[in-house]
Amino acid sequence: MITPRRRLSRRTLLRGTGVALGLPILEAMLTDSGLLPGRSSRAATPMPRRYLEFFFGNGTRIDLWRPPREGRLDASNLSPCLATLAAEPGQTDILPDVTVVGGLDTLMPKTFHGAYTFAMGDYWEDVKYLPAKLPSIDHLIAEAIGQGTRFRTLHFAHEKSFDDNAHYISWKPTGKPGPYKDFVRVDELRDCKQMFDVLFPNQGAPPGSAATREASSLLDHVLGETTRLAARLGAGDRARLDEYLTAVREVERESRVVASCDGGAPDFAAAVNHRDRTRLALRILVLALRCDLTRVFTFTHSHGISMLTYNFIPEIANLTDHDDISHGQVARGSLTKEAFAQLWASKIIAVTRYKVSEFAYLVRLLKDTREGDGTLLDSCLAYCGSEISTGSKHDTVDMPILLAGRLQGRIRTGQHLRYPPGTSRQMMFVAMMQAFGLPLESYGRGGDGPLPGLLG
Amino acid sequence: MDREPAASPARPSAGPQPPPVFGPDPPACVEADGPPLLMRRLTNAEYLRTLRDLLLIPASDPIDDRLPAETVSEGVAGLAETQTLSTLHARAYGVLADRLVKARLTSPAARGPDGVVSFVGCDPSPPAAAVCLRAFVARFGRRAYRRPLTEGEVEGLLALATAADPAGGPYAAIGLVARAILRSPHFLFRLETGAPVAGRPGLSRLTGFERASRLSYLVLGTGPDDALLEAASAGALDTTDGLLGAVDRLLADARAKDHSRSFAAAWLALDKAAQAAPAPALFPHWNKELALAAQGETLRLTEDVFWRSGARLRDLFTARHTFVNGALASFYGLPAPASGWARAALDGLPERVGLLTSMSVLIGTSLPTRTSPTFRGKYVREHLLCQRVPPPPPEVPSLEEADVPAEPTAKQRLDAHAADPACAGCHRLLDPVGLPFEVYDATGAYRPRDSLGRPIATTGRIEGLPEPAFDGVPALAAKLAVAPELESCLVTQAFRFGFGQREPESEPCWLREARQAFARGDGSYRSLVRAYVASPAFGFRQAPEGGGR
């Protein structure tokens, strides 16, 4: 067991701010165009660094997730839920690149509110209406590493049944106070074909052509008109208009960054079930990394309170992920209580293995992709987890967390780390952000310093 | 409030004028309690409908819009507070404007008999090119911005037109201007700046054009047409009578019927049914054809109740008839119509009455693998009575831990939840309402006995209504139909739909007045729309925190 150096505190750090930085750059960070100067310059690193998130809904059962021993992670040290991390014959072994982080606590109330706390250091009372208090860490990291790319961040989600704020894992700063204040949810792409078209549009008109001149005049006109309108509006309305202004500028910026590689032509029609679509989306996202179109993406495999059914997995066919599997609404028949508990556990193991296998697919894909003298995975840090720990209890202590990728030697992998009860998960976020060069000392509830044991 | 419409929208100057409710002094009620409204962008549905109207795109042409999904909060989509505006929106707006304008300018089908592109309305070839361009900017701009353009705006667009590709043909300048207008915040946002009310910071009286927009989006779901903009320009929307006259004209428009479905869908969360996917292995009788049929039934039943003369909205719950096609008739056990759709009496089916026992509602309140009495109880409370049900408490005992017998009935299963004091409060309000629905399975099929052959109890209780006990969903429906809470909720739903926002927690006086007005009327959809439009809140806007203007 690793004991953090610092005394752990449950207090919310500077409630309402929650982010404390070592340098006075908070204001710059919160403006839409502000750059966050990283400590290390990109020029000094051979390959760009990348940050990825893989979210799955409904948690797991933490006793079936936790590997047997602390220390080295290998095929003999995997739990029933994590079995699908192990390589099958002929597959690349990714266990040396994965760290299982156990025992961390979100320090948030047990929640039904969905996924938004996955990469967010604090919660808020009425998630349906109120804006977030903090940006999620993907946007903080994007400020450090995503500046030059066509897309600062990319977001993909599978499931269409919930469009509630609570189910979005990515929240970015607007930099604008007002009724739409501070931190807004980021809309997600939902369809592989749409994502592909956004990433690899038919290359537009060549520079200097009539169509390019038209487009540039059009943009000037719209920006001018919007700016003039904003000047006439009160602060409340202007905040909403500014969102549009920011979005138009961002789209324009994207169009100026020319893609350096070609996407090929995926077979969209061949993806018939959830697993096919998951892997297709992951392949497209990894292609975006390889082409350096983005350095940060988030992937939602399934939402919190997911009602998906995975009929292609025999053990859990015709069961919904949320109620039937997570809450044990499994046909009990005349089983004894013990036999029923065993049956239910087998369903939870099956559904978690599926989720973990898809994260393993992503990690393996990265490791199988050559880049420079190594692999794409060498320059990545991927964070995989859920919004709750044990699904039936909706608890948020001892969160299920996997990290993968050494981030050019900054992260120690191939281990199972455990922390004492009450250790803030936000300390892991601080360590992760520091690994990306963010000069940040604390973040969110109890995130008063970097989690020990993680940084290489 | 429910006055007869004026004979003509533009009233003659002779004779006594009605009180100008939108005059310099706002009514006392608005003065005290103006509706604080956030600025909204057009919802996806409003945007697409307005775009179709502007470019004269036929309803039969699908638009592949790629807009991000609207946020749904407690079953309501596109509320101002939860609206997002991301790069995905900005990208889609730009791509759609470019693609659709180009398609309309080049498609032979988009031209009139004179060979002129219909939405342009004039021939931009020399020698009349400049005249046509200026006319287009003024006319198209006025429809898109929903008010006349200022001289500066016209000049700005004409200046932009000079950047058009000289080799692009006669429509190049028009195309460029149209693409700019369709990206404009004046088009994309429901701007309501109005005129400030003296002494009331943040409160403004809407202009006639802004009221025209409110009316048109409320009744038709699209921007005002030329006639309504003319009426606004003539001051005809400055009085309640003038507004009600305009409402009656819009309600007579064929598109009003279409748009009333959007209100029905928002009120009754009908989209949920459209997305439902019962597990095929458990419900082999259910298929896509039935799912479409269920939507067709709801659409026809709501249309019948919304638009049939003499019908009241609450009849939706007590209707002893519905509309079926062959597939649905065999599902319900009704005689199949000779062909297509037909109205069918429910005489032989005592278990079916009105909307609550229709496939749409029953499937929309179920999970893919089973029913949820709690969801069904919640549906009645939230959608029909506008009551707020708090989310479940943090610690829910799982069935493994709860003391449930083997093969529990639905009731035993829920009783185990409700045994926990933390859960009991809400489940006491929800489950006795939802359990009698158990005789309808997750696809809405009738099943008087459960899978083990045990009869399903139909007795229920709806706390809070007078004489709360009832036996069977038809009895619950009859109780709801006469409940003043339902009528009151309908007005609330109309305001949520119209303002795109939830009502304040403390009942504002203008909402109370509208409820009273609706209660005095005939209970029809028309009278609901009129009660909303005649409300003192209709012509005003209280800016959000931070100031709107």
Side-chain angles (χ1 to χ4, degrees), chain B residues 370-384:
Chain B
R370 60 178 177 86
T371 57
S372 167
T374 307
F375 280 7
R376 287 169 167 179
K378 190 164 179 267
Y379 178 84
V380 169
R381 293 270 178 206
E382 287 188 339
H383 291 274
L384 307 188

Side-chain angles (χ1 to χ4, degrees), chain B residues 248-434:
Chain B
D248 283 341
R249 184 179 76 76
L250 296 184
L251 284 170
D253 188 310
R255 291 172 298 171
K257 216 177 226 185
D258 220 36
H259 187 56
S260 68
R261 288 178 202 153
S262 311
F263 171 64
W267 166 32
L268 300 165
L270 296 175
D271 289 348
K272 277 200 149 174
Q275 292 163 6
L282 299 178
F283 305 102
H285 63 270
W286 187 86
N287 54 42
K288 278 282 163 206
E289 191 195 356
L290 265 182
L292 286 174
Q295 290 174 46
E297 179 197 17
T298 312
L299 202 134
R300 286 169 175 82
L301 184 62
T302 50
E303 191 168 299
D304 177 57
V305 170
F306 276 44
W307 295 92
R308 182 163 38 84
S309 169
R312 300 160 302 178
L313 290 173
R314 65 190 196 203
D315 296 344
L316 206 48
F317 304 97
T318 53
R320 291 295 300 149
H321 68 277
T322 187
F323 296 83
V324 292
N325 64 5
L328 209 55
S330 89
F331 176 81
Y332 284 137
L334 290 165
S339 68
W341 285 85
R343 183 186 158 113
L346 292 170
D347 296 339
L349 299 175
E351 73 274 13
R352 303 277 178 191
V353 59
L355 191 84
L356 281 184
T357 59
S358 72
M359 190 180 185
S360 280
V361 166
L362 294 167
I363 214 169
T365 52
S366 294
L367 302 171
T369 54
R370 60 178 177 86
T371 57
S372 167
T374 307
F375 280 7
R376 287 169 167 179
K378 190 164 179 267
Y379 178 84
V380 169
R381 293 270 178 206
E382 287 188 339
H383 291 274
L384 307 188
L385 300 174
C386 292
Q387 296 167 348
R388 268 189 134 168
V389 179
E395 183 87 52
V396 180
S398 63
L399 271 191
E400 186 194 50
E401 293 150 17
D403 197 12
V404 182
E407 296 289 2
T409 64
K411 186 165 184 321
Q412 286 167 332
R413 203 190 274 273
L414 285 169
D415 284 349
H417 262 320
D420 189 315
C423 306
C426 288
H427 280 278
R428 194 176 53 86
L429 293 176
L430 301 177
D431 301 344
V433 181

